[in-house]
Amino acid sequence: METHLHRITINPLISHGKPTIRNKRYPVEAILEYLAGGDTVEDLLAEFEDLEREDILACLQYALLSVRAKNLPTTMA
């Protein structure tokens, strides 16, 4: 699997140290909320012109790894 995680940064001076995209003020959490709310990758790229497709993929990959690290189930029973 290709990794895009290098695009996720944690800087205490940006967004209170929450994970963001490339030291920009786009919290990973916010991008994931847009996606969960029904926005598509294309919607986000049109809305936030300085983001790239790989940034969105990095957010998804970060979320997946976070879930795995917490040993939460990835499917509903």
Side-chain angles (χ1 to χ4, degrees):
M1 174 193 321
E2 182 180 358
T3 182
H4 299 289
L5 290 176
H6 64 279
R7 292 174 172 268
I8 305 300
T9 53
I10 297 174
N11 182 335
L13 301 176
I14 299 175
S15 295
H16 306 288
K18 293 183 179 181
T20 60
I21 299 169
R22 293 185 288 130
N23 272 324
K24 297 180 181 287
R25 297 193 183 275
Y26 295 116
V28 170
E29 181 179 17
I31 299 302
L32 295 171
E33 287 174 355
Y34 280 117
L35 293 169
D39 288 330
T40 65
V41 172
E42 289 73 24
D43 292 336
L44 295 176
L45 294 175
E47 181 69 26
F48 306 109
E49 294 179 2
D50 53 341
L51 292 184
E52 299 170 2
R53 180 172 304 281
E54 291 78 10
D55 296 328
I56 309 302
L57 296 176
C59 291
L60 292 168
Q61 190 172 30
Y62 184 87
L64 176 63
L65 292 175
S66 294
V67 167
R68 285 183 178 167
K70 292 179 183 177
N71 293 321
L72 296 176
T74 57
T75 60
M76 300 300 280

